Amino acid sequence: MNDEERKTVELFTEHLRLTPLDPEADAADLHAAYGDPDVTGPWLDEPASDGPEQTRERLAERLAPTGTRIWTVRRLEEDTALGLVELVGGGQVPWLGWMLRKSHWRQGIMSEAVTAVVEHVLLAEGVPMLEAWANASNTGSIRVAERAGLTERGRFAVPDAQAETGMREKVVLGRTGPGVWTAFHAVHILLPVRDVEATLAFLDSALGVTAGFRVGPPGAPARYASAKLWPWSNGPSLRLRATPRKPITPVTVLLDSAVPVAELYDRVVAAGGTTEGPPVREEWGDTEFCCVLPEGHRLEITGPA
Amino acid sequence: MNDEERKTVELFTEHLRLTPLDPEADAADLHAAYGDPDVTGPWLDEPASDGPEQTRERLAERLAPTGTRIWTVRRLEEDTALGLVELVGGGQVPWLGWMLRKSHWRQGIMSEAVTAVVEHVLLAEGVPMLEAWANASNTGSIRVAERAGLTERGRFAVPDAQAETGMREKVVLGRTGPGVWTAFHAVHILLPVRDVEATLAFLDSALGVTAGFRVGPPGAPARYASAKLWPWSNGPSLRLRATPRKPITPVTVLLDSAVPVAELYDRVVAAGGTTEGPPVREEWGDTEFCCVLPEGHRLEITGPA
């Protein structure tokens, strides 16, 4: 079954009825959500609609792309549309979103609606996996996703002029269908270096990348060590291998920053690191600088300014 | 405050009292949990104790290492020890564990007890972060961790002779204290290759590593592309850069397998890939093989057989 063949069938839960969105018929009701900046802000990072007509237009635009399906959510015995659940296909992993008028928050409605869509898509339709993004501060939405069986799969940062740090953290939540495996859990990059201990000390002070295991004779400098790119067990790492004499061919590693890039640049400079100059804003909006290790390895660090 | 100075102070919650474990006094009660394979299996991956005396010995051993603290959990008005929460320090990220006698499962007791320990450690003591591991199938324990504010941070696989696939998936859950940031969200490795499209096709069929974005003139082969090491947005990737003529210096990437290594080896061979021979069992128990790309890049794949 491909995206085009999948229908937005009506779904029933214990308390809810989910029906295919009809922008004409549903706009008046859904404007209670779309006209509320407390709903559109955390959901869309966008302003509210100025009236039901604009809500109708935005709903129609949202529904237009091939592979997008939207369900309107109602209580079983009621006619009023309270919110919607959308599934945006077309990419590699279909993307799930939802919104609910504020008067109905924290009653379990969205958990029930999203769970119904997730289970229909993964179990009945056989879609292998889906994901949702939420602002890290939006604990309500994260809770809804978790109740629908999605778990955190990663994080990333987006620029946010309103935030004190100039950036905002997004959480990626995902769930796979039965029997779906991904091939890998973690990745490590081998970096041959002249001095393992000196590299560990620099990475720690400049980038907060801490030493994991060390291999070598007791009391002597490590011959091999891991530098953990994030602190959790089985996270990705740089694997440093002592290569005192043989020529070293430089490796380029790209790191997505979780803190403002300017802050990391300052730390690299303060730790005596070599760079190719201060952070530069790229055309796609991210800011980037390159930290060059003594062997020529390039750590290209990207993220919000 | 370092590990040695942190005391196992008494903690009170709405319904519970947590006190420092006393192996002598608590063994008889805790044997109701330690003597039950349904508790020790998912918790320790170990068999049950054969009697209270063995439970006492195991509790004393558990408590012995510097930096380990264990709280015994009781209802406020009761004397019976129902379970325990432990915090194992000494490593970089303290590790949290818990167990509860089966008669008291699914009553919210452990969620309340673990939350109390987590908040005491992160908020009162200022420990920057802690983590817990659970079998992916142990949804009860994962739920307890999530209620205590831990979220999924990664996964890994361990050998399991009982499992159909020969392996079992573990979930790493973690929580940071206020204001604690980790520096990076994702890592990507630059691989210069002769033919971006051919490499993408090989990685997809051999390793389930799918193409992400592609950069290049419309209709022409990509000059630059991402090969996603796992499917979720902002996961790690290989960044393939077309390098048609210039010499290429090989890079070594280590990948932790989430599926049996033998299965990946067979897929690599079936896709016409080059290896250095079938998977080899290493001294530390993992199985490993190396897939060599035409440019000499080494993908060293490690995991349960």
Side-chain angles (χ1 to χ4, degrees):
Chain A
M1 195 162 26
N2 63 35
D3 276 4
E4 286 72 50
E5 291 163 347
R6 294 194 178 101
K7 301 294 173 213
T8 316
V9 296
E10 210 170 15
L11 300 172
F12 290 91
T13 69
E14 194 184 347
H15 306 101
L16 305 173
R17 183 163 54 102
L18 281 70
T19 54
L21 170 72
D22 177 344
E24 298 293 332
D26 296 334
D29 282 351
L30 291 177
H31 186 65
Y34 243 114
D36 180 349
D38 287 348
V39 176
T40 60
W43 179 45
L44 297 169
D45 300 326
E46 280 178 20
S49 296
D50 57 17
E53 176 52 23
Q54 198 191 353
T55 291
R56 191 196 57 74
E57 282 167 19
R58 288 169 84 175
L59 286 172
E61 271 168 30
R62 232 172 153 80
L63 191 55
T66 308
T68 292
R69 295 186 281 165
I70 306 182
W71 285 265
T72 303
V73 178
R74 288 178 179 79
R75 286 227 177 85
L76 276 183
E77 334 69 37
E78 295 177 7
D79 281 337
T80 314
L82 302 176
L84 59 81
V85 180
E86 69 178 350
L87 189 74
V88 181
Q92 292 180 309
V93 180
W95 180 92
L96 195 71
W98 56 87
M99 62 149 201
L100 180 67
R101 54 169 77 186
K102 201 164 47 177
S103 57
H104 288 68
W105 285 8
R106 311 221 168 252
Q107 298 172 27
I109 293 174
M110 261 306 133
S111 296
E112 195 170 319
V114 171
T115 301
V117 170
V118 166
E119 301 201 332
H120 173 71
V121 168
L122 295 182
L123 308 181
E125 296 187 333
V127 169
M129 62 189 78
L130 46 75
E131 67 178 32
W133 299 356
N135 289 323
S137 58
N138 187 355
T139 51
S141 239
I142 291 172
R143 191 54 61 95
V144 166
E146 287 176 348
R147 290 218 182 95
L150 283 71
T151 59
E152 183 167 335
R153 303 291 179 158
R155 294 188 173 221
F156 61 102
V158 292
D160 180 355
Q162 320 281 285
E164 202 189 324
T165 58
M167 55 198 289
R168 190 154 31 95
E169 209 175 14
K170 289 257 182 198
V171 180
V172 176
L173 299 122
R175 177 172 165 182
T176 53
V180 175
W181 282 74
T182 56
F184 301 112
H185 279 137
V187 57
H188 314 280
I189 305 114
L190 188 75
L191 291 187
V193 296
R194 294 295 180 218
D195 182 336
V196 169
E197 295 292 349
T199 310
L200 283 175
F202 171 74
L203 291 172
D204 190 352
S205 67
L207 299 173
V209 169
T210 55
F213 65 79
R214 283 180 161 86
V215 179
R223 286 185 287 110
Y224 186 72
S226 85
K228 297 170 74 176
L229 292 170
W230 53 84
W232 313 108
S233 293
N234 209 46
S237 67
L238 306 175
R239 294 288 171 85
L240 310 176
R241 184 161 66 192
T243 309
R245 276 170 298 271
K246 279 204 289 187
I248 289 176
T249 54
V251 173
T252 298
V253 177
L254 291 72
L255 294 164
D256 293 355
S257 181
V259 296
V261 168
E263 197 178 298
L264 286 179
Y265 176 77
D266 291 344
R267 288 181 59 165
V268 166
V269 171
T274 303
T275 73
E276 295 181 341
V280 170
R281 196 182 158 89
E282 304 292 345
E283 331 156 31
W284 51 89
D286 272 343
T287 301
E288 212 173 282
F289 77 97
C290 182
C291 170
V292 186
L293 298 184
E295 296 80 4
H297 300 305
R298 297 169 57 86
L299 306 179
E300 295 183 1
I301 295 168
T302 302
Chain B
M1 193 159 32
N2 63 35
D3 275 3
E4 287 73 49
E5 290 161 349
R6 294 195 178 100
K7 300 295 173 212
T8 315
V9 296
E10 211 170 14
L11 299 172
F12 290 92
T13 69
E14 194 183 346
H15 306 101
L16 304 173
R17 182 164 55 101
L18 281 70
T19 54
L21 171 71
D22 177 344
E24 299 293 330
D26 296 335
D29 282 352
L30 291 177
H31 186 66
Y34 244 114
D36 180 349
D38 288 347
V39 176
T40 59
W43 178 46
L44 297 169
D45 301 325
E46 280 178 20
S49 296
D50 58 16
E53 175 52 24
Q54 197 191 354
T55 291
R56 191 196 58 74
E57 281 166 21
R58 287 169 83 175
L59 287 171
E61 271 168 31
R62 230 168 156 83
L63 190 55
T66 309
T68 291
R69 295 187 281 165
I70 306 182
W71 285 264
T72 302
V73 178
R74 288 177 178 79
R75 286 228 176 83
L76 277 183
E77 334 69 36
E78 294 176 8
D79 281 336
T80 314
L82 303 176
L84 59 82
V85 180
E86 69 179 350
L87 189 73
V88 181
Q92 292 179 309
V93 180
W95 179 93
L96 195 70
W98 56 87
M99 62 149 202
L100 179 68
R101 55 169 77 185
K102 200 165 47 179
S103 57
H104 288 68
W105 285 8
R106 311 224 168 251
Q107 298 173 27
I109 293 175
M110 261 306 133
S111 297
E112 193 170 320
V114 171
T115 301
V117 170
V118 166
E119 302 201 332
H120 173 71
V121 167
L122 295 182
L123 308 182
E125 296 187 333
V127 169
M129 62 190 79
L130 46 74
E131 68 178 32
W133 300 356
N135 289 323
S137 58
N138 187 356
T139 51
S141 239
I142 291 172
R143 190 55 60 96
V144 166
E146 288 176 347
R147 290 218 182 96
L150 282 72
T151 59
E152 183 168 334
R153 305 289 179 157
R155 295 189 172 221
F156 61 102
V158 292
D160 180 356
Q162 319 280 282
E164 204 189 322
T165 57
M167 55 198 290
R168 188 153 32 94
E169 209 174 13
K170 289 257 182 197
V171 179
V172 176
L173 298 121
R175 177 172 165 183
T176 53
V180 175
W181 282 72
T182 56
F184 300 112
H185 278 137
V187 57
H188 314 280
I189 305 115
L190 188 74
L191 291 187
V193 295
R194 295 294 179 220
D195 183 334
V196 169
E197 296 293 347
T199 310
L200 284 175
F202 170 73
L203 291 172
D204 190 352
S205 67
L207 299 173
V209 169
T210 56
F213 65 79
R214 281 179 163 87
V215 179
R223 288 185 284 110
Y224 186 72
S226 84
K228 298 171 72 175
L229 292 171
W230 54 83
W232 313 107
S233 292
N234 209 45
S237 67
L238 305 174
R239 294 289 170 85
L240 310 176
R241 185 160 66 192
T243 309
R245 276 170 297 270
K246 280 203 289 186
I248 290 176
T249 54
V251 172
T252 298
V253 177
L254 290 72
L255 295 164
D256 292 355
S257 181
V259 296
V261 167
E263 198 178 296
L264 286 178
Y265 175 77
D266 290 344
R267 288 181 58 165
V268 165
V269 171
T274 303
T275 71
E276 296 182 339
V280 170
R281 196 184 159 88
E282 304 291 345
E283 328 157 32
W284 52 89
D286 272 344
T287 302
E288 211 175 282
F289 77 97
C290 182
C291 170
V292 186
L293 298 184
E295 297 79 6
H297 300 305
R298 295 168 58 86
L299 305 178
E300 295 183 1
I301 295 167
T302 303

